[in-house]
Amino acid sequence: MYSHKFLVEGGQKLSGTVRVGGSKNAALPIIAASLLTDQPITLTNVPDIADIYTIQHILHFLGVETEFTDNTLKINARAVANVEIPHELVSKMRASILFLAPLLARNGAARLSFPGGCVLGKRPVDVHLTALEALNAEVLEDSEILHLHTKGFVGAKFTMSEASVTGTENAIMASVLAKGKTTIRLAASEPHVQDLCEFLNKMGAKITGIGTHTLRIDGVKKLKGCEHRITSDYLEAGTLVLAAAITQGEVDILDIIPEHLDIFWQKLREVGVVFELGKDMVRVLPSKHLRAIRLQTAIFPSFPTDLQAPFTTLLTQAKGTSFIFETLFDGRLQYLYELERMKLKPKILNPYQAEITGPVKLKGAFVNSCDIRAGAAMLLAALAAEGQTEISNIYYIDRGYERLDEKLNSLGAKIERVK
Ligand code: EPU
């Protein structure tokens, strides 16, 4: 991990136009799914972020050739030379678990240590293992290391033990080449899960029910190469909207898919943020009176957990007491302790619930970015604060957002990247 920091001079109103890039959480499973064919894959609109370099290292370790230039990633998995991914790579990114199904499908076995990534409370892997077992994989070891093998996936009808995003993605990747038909109930339906399904169908898979919580998959014998544009990142879009709103700016955000953010728009209206939605853009306008609300996260299409910290940061500027209820992760209110250094006085009721009373005159301070989305929240708070904020551990921000500092600076922010 490197030791870059952001120095942010707060109080600048953002203005201008900015484009949203491709989705990290769509790119990662799609790249893993590229192992399901021995033919070339071309992906465009791939975000240039740290997690994409990590997943490329994993591909190289597996003997798979890649070429990444100008947001285009070419992958050729002619042969997959290994069934094991070393701990140094797995520990950098929890999404490494997405290689379980492709390695099993391709080579009949998969071995990796428990995945790392952001520190976000207890995130069990059982949901992945249970789904893969339903499809005829056998778990040989699940203590120090995950070790699975299969004599070939076989279609089945099963219900996910919870609507886990990457768990569903593993189940889908296992089913597309399985013998026979599969029905997955309580499937996650986030836009990135949908994009994985669209990609697999282009490769020749037969998946129906995309966007719903029940997926039906007819197994096929072989998948072919294809070209695919990674869907726009609704989490980056939401973060940029919040950056405009928290600075009372006037910003056009382009290349968005508004229907990925239905509840987010509803919540913004409730708060009193003024914006105009177009077909694939949003214009955020200055809004004077922000009101406190109740914000509760849940699985798609509800309010995304990945926008909870950035949205709560906007709520520090709203009049009254907002109630935050994070229903997915038990470690996702940690950033409130960092905001405390900036003069917010949050009332943290338990690991899932907090109250925020505003508006608060945020003051620049030394803060730490404790996960990708908490990092984005720190940046938003720093934009709204009086004086200078120093954000450390920005590796996390770089993991998930493509040059967020440069994008915000192009809108008039004053963010300096220092070593
Ligand atoms: N959970 C529930 N109920 C559910 C589904 C999940 O309580 O119905 C809980 C789980 O127990 C777990 C947490 O919610 O504690 C997240 O579960 P999930 O398995 O869905 O998370 P994931 O697949 O490991 C993906 C994203 C995360 C995002 C979550 C939730 C990728 C590569 N990662 O993780 O992204 O927060 O889904 O939407 O897609 C990020 O981008 O910053 C990030 C952490």
Side-chain angles (χ1 to χ4, degrees):
M1 282 200 193
Y2 54 63
S3 56
H4 291 190
K5 293 175 182 172
F6 282 149
L7 291 182
V8 187
E9 203 56 57
Q12 322 298 322
K13 281 188 199 287
L14 302 188
S15 74
T17 300
V18 66
R19 266 175 205 285
V20 171
S23 155
K24 162 181 91 75
N25 289 346
L28 294 175
I30 287 175
I31 293 169
S34 300
L35 298 196
L36 296 172
T37 179
D38 55 9
Q39 295 180 14
I41 296 286
T42 300
L43 303 174
T44 59
N45 204 32
V46 177
D48 192 347
I49 51 172
D51 272 12
I52 298 298
Y53 292 96
T54 304
I55 200 166
Q56 259 188 295
H57 285 153
I58 295 179
L59 292 180
H60 296 164
F61 179 82
L62 296 171
V64 174
E65 292 164 20
T66 68
E67 193 190 308
F68 188 33
T69 38
D70 295 334
N71 299 98
T72 296
L73 179 64
K74 295 188 175 173
I75 303 171
N76 201 330
R78 236 173 266 124
V80 177
N82 224 314
V83 296
E84 180 155 4
I85 305 176
H87 175 72
E88 311 86 81
L89 291 173
V90 174
S91 62
K92 280 192 183 166
M93 191 180 69
R94 188 184 149 81
S96 315
I97 200 162
L98 289 167
F99 282 98
L100 279 182
L103 285 175
L104 283 161
R106 196 72 192 259
N107 287 346
R111 261 174 82 94
L112 47 125
S113 54
F114 274 86
C118 289
V119 194
L120 286 176
K122 196 169 167 287
R123 292 207 268 177
V125 295
D126 305 15
V127 57
H128 296 253
L129 303 186
T130 314
L132 293 171
E133 279 177 322
L135 292 159
N136 199 37
E138 196 187 342
V139 178
L140 302 176
E141 228 182 311
D142 65 357
S143 48
E144 297 293 295
I145 204 152
L146 292 173
H147 186 189
L148 282 80
H149 92 147
T150 183
K151 293 201 169 91
F153 284 124
V154 178
K157 264 190 187 179
F158 60 95
T159 302
M160 297 294 299
S161 40
E162 60 185 42
S164 159
V165 168
T166 50
T168 301
E169 290 165 347
N170 257 324
I172 295 166
M173 292 188 281
S175 310
V176 287
L177 287 167
K179 207 166 154 198
K181 291 179 194 300
T182 296
T183 303
I184 308 173
R185 294 174 64 199
L186 199 58
S189 67
E190 273 68 5
H192 27 288
V193 181
Q194 299 178 32
D195 203 31
L196 170 68
C197 293
E198 303 291 356
F199 168 71
L200 288 166
N201 278 353
K202 276 188 200 164
M203 291 172 83
K206 293 190 173 154
I207 307 170
T208 57
I210 300 173
T212 73
H213 293 297
T214 302
L215 295 171
R216 292 197 167 76
I217 299 161
D218 268 346
V220 296
K221 289 229 160 65
K222 211 172 150 42
L223 294 175
K224 58 179 192 291
C226 72
E227 208 179 307
H228 183 76
R229 184 174 198 276
I230 301 294
T231 190
S232 153
D233 190 345
Y234 70 118
L235 302 171
E236 185 192 2
T239 306
L240 291 168
V241 167
L242 293 165
I246 205 167
T247 64
Q248 297 291 334
E250 186 167 339
V251 180
D252 282 357
I253 297 151
L254 312 183
D255 283 352
I256 68 163
I257 303 176
E259 50 277 27
H260 286 173
L261 283 161
D262 280 351
I263 303 287
F264 176 79
W265 308 127
Q266 274 182 34
K267 287 290 163 191
L268 278 183
R269 279 191 198 102
E270 244 184 82
V271 175
V273 173
V274 183
F275 61 96
E276 293 163 1
L277 273 181
K279 195 170 99 354
D280 57 1
M281 60 93 62
V282 59
R283 172 168 296 164
V284 183
L285 296 158
S287 32
K288 283 283 164 275
H289 305 290
L290 300 183
R291 296 177 288 271
I293 59 159
R294 178 192 155 92
L295 186 72
Q296 178 169 336
T297 64
I299 56 172
F300 189 80
S302 264
F303 193 92
T305 168
D306 292 330
L307 284 174
Q308 180 263 114
F311 205 99
T312 302
T313 308
L314 174 70
L315 293 176
T316 65
Q317 303 308 302
K319 189 162 185 259
T321 299
S322 292
F323 176 71
I324 317 302
F325 189 3
E326 167 60 56
T327 68
L328 295 188
F329 291 117
D330 53 11
R332 262 210 166 159
L333 295 179
Q334 289 299 320
Y335 68 96
L336 290 174
Y337 294 107
E338 298 300 313
L339 289 182
E340 235 172 1
R341 300 171 197 250
M342 299 181 76
K343 299 285 178 251
L344 175 71
K345 292 190 173 58
K347 202 164 150 194
I348 302 173
L349 306 169
N350 56 55
Y352 299 95
Q353 295 172 319
E355 281 176 1
I356 306 290
T357 302
V360 181
K361 255 191 184 306
L362 295 171
K363 290 261 184 332
F366 291 92
V367 292
N368 183 31
S369 149
C370 40
D371 68 63
I372 300 177
R373 312 301 165 184
M378 292 308 116
L379 208 38
L380 297 186
L383 292 178
E386 194 183 288
Q388 194 184 66
T389 300
E390 181 173 322
I391 309 174
S392 57
N393 246 336
I394 61 165
Y395 167 75
Y396 282 119
I397 303 178
D398 289 337
R399 275 192 54 197
Y401 291 94
E402 181 175 308
R403 293 186 277 275
L404 187 55
D405 49 335
E406 289 175 28
K407 284 194 181 181
L408 293 169
N409 284 344
S410 76
L411 299 172
K414 287 194 176 164
I415 307 168
E416 192 188 344
R417 183 183 283 264
V418 292
K419 277 199 177 178

